[in-house]
Amino acid sequence: MPLDLPAMIRRSGNRRKAITFRPIKPTKALSDDLARLYMRVVSAWQQIALGRLLDIYAATLAQMTKDSPQDVQGELDLGEETIRRLLVSIFPDLRRWGVVVEEWHRNRFSGAALTATGIDLATVLSPVDVTETVGAVIARNVALIKDVSAEAQGRISDIVFRGITQRTPSRKVAKELREAVAMSRRRSLLIATDQANKLTASLDRARQEEVGIDQFLWRHSGKVHYRPAHKARDGNVYDWAAPPADLPGQLPFCGCRAQAYISFDDGTDSPSA
Ligand SMILES: [Zn+2]
């Protein structure tokens, strides 16, 4: 049965016109944990590219026999298989990360509710209530890790085959491979920060709606690179049923938050014309 927190507050003899919960900001530790999962794939590609693959490349260049490019392809295929097994082992860790974030958020949300209303939701809220919300973000991250891996593989493959065609010295190819890995690393870090933010933003909405909070205050991120349209929304009250075109934390790298807002102002106090 869904909860009606505003009704519970009214019954407790509330005299305030509005109540806001403190916003829930994801910690760096949460995004770092996610980044580490992405990095396992990036590091594995680094080992493949700068290990045996580079040795085979150097040998290919030295001999330039007919079937050497096949050896390079064979090593890339082996690498792909290694990564495929690695991904299978990472996906359960990704789900565990979702479990940790959900628990962290649930504690923050019930803590904010207790501070703002005096009502303890800690034993009322359950992970089961947000299974879909968490599941959707985990599924998205499964796709993103696969994409980061495929992109790294594509870059590595391009570099070595272009190198063979152009007879690029091994040292230069090694440098290009290191740069390709660094690009994947940077992209992974950005994705992890963004995805940790998106999961907590989705949980904000799910928990607020679960306890009958149908409005939120837009809290601007305060980031250096912000969207002017989002800054303009700062402090505005929106209905979850009719929100702006994009929600807080939804667009890429948006750090804005939806702060739970309960209004008890039914208009009876305002002077009539
Ligand atoms: Zn924003």
Side-chain angles (χ1 to χ4, degrees):
M1 200 181 71
L3 219 66
D4 191 347
L5 188 64
M8 289 164 76
I9 299 166
R10 272 194 199 90
R11 281 199 298 273
S12 71
N14 168 67
R15 293 189 178 280
R16 287 171 292 179
K17 287 203 162 172
I19 289 175
T20 51
F21 290 12
R22 59 174 179 259
I24 302 167
K25 287 197 131 196
T27 63
K28 193 173 174 298
L30 293 178
S31 58
D32 284 351
D33 287 348
L34 182 60
R36 266 192 283 278
L37 300 182
Y38 280 80
M39 289 312 168
R40 273 164 63 187
V41 177
V42 177
S43 298
W45 274 119
Q46 179 177 18
Q47 271 184 22
I48 292 161
L50 293 157
R52 265 176 57 90
L53 184 66
L54 197 60
D55 294 342
I56 292 171
Y57 176 83
T60 302
L61 215 61
Q63 297 153 16
M64 216 49 183
T65 58
K66 247 189 179 168
D67 50 348
S68 292
Q70 265 128 304
D71 295 343
V72 169
Q73 186 58 55
E75 191 58 27
L76 277 168
D77 291 345
L78 275 177
E80 189 177 355
E81 181 54 25
T82 304
I83 298 288
R84 198 192 57 75
R85 284 196 302 270
L86 176 64
L87 284 171
V88 168
S89 78
I90 286 176
F91 297 149
D93 291 338
L94 200 51
R95 284 191 288 277
R96 272 191 282 276
W97 175 77
V99 169
V100 169
V101 176
E102 187 283 321
E103 188 185 9
W104 173 87
H105 185 276
R106 181 158 31 89
N107 289 335
R108 288 292 178 289
F109 184 78
S110 55
L114 184 62
T115 306
T117 70
I119 295 170
D120 192 359
L121 298 172
T123 56
V124 181
L125 305 176
S126 132
V128 181
D129 313 325
V130 290
T131 302
E132 270 180 47
T133 305
V134 177
V137 175
I138 297 307
R140 175 76 185 128
N141 278 274
V142 167
L144 281 168
I145 287 193
K146 283 182 182 170
D147 188 61
V148 164
S149 177
E151 194 184 57
Q153 182 180 4
R155 285 205 181 107
I156 290 164
S157 171
D158 283 352
I159 290 167
V160 289
F161 285 114
R162 198 185 330 114
I164 290 171
T165 311
Q166 301 177 352
R167 302 192 60 78
T168 310
S170 303
R171 211 156 40 94
K172 187 152 183 286
V173 164
K175 185 168 175 280
E176 287 176 20
L177 289 172
R178 273 194 292 273
E179 280 163 5
V181 169
M183 277 169 87
S184 294
R185 212 172 277 279
R186 280 195 296 275
R187 183 173 170 229
S188 295
L189 285 172
L190 289 174
I191 289 175
T193 308
D194 194 39
Q195 288 297 312
N197 198 49
K198 280 192 166 63
L199 177 52
T200 50
S202 301
L203 286 168
D204 282 345
R205 179 181 193 167
R207 288 304 183 192
Q208 288 176 32
E209 293 194 314
E210 181 185 357
V211 299
I213 297 173
D214 50 19
Q215 290 187 309
F216 68 89
L217 264 179
W218 190 290
R219 273 286 158 249
H220 172 59
S221 65
K223 280 186 178 181
V224 182
H225 302 288
Y226 61 88
R227 290 176 171 82
H230 285 190
K231 188 155 195 208
R233 291 173 188 165
D234 190 42
N236 287 358
V237 175
Y238 296 98
D239 292 346
W240 279 121
D246 62 286
L247 295 172
Q250 191 179 45
L251 293 182
F253 310 111
C254 167
C256 298
R257 310 302 302 180
Q259 200 174 354
Y261 182 79
I262 308 169
S263 171
F264 299 102
D265 192 355
D266 53 11
T268 50
D269 289 348
S270 47
S272 49

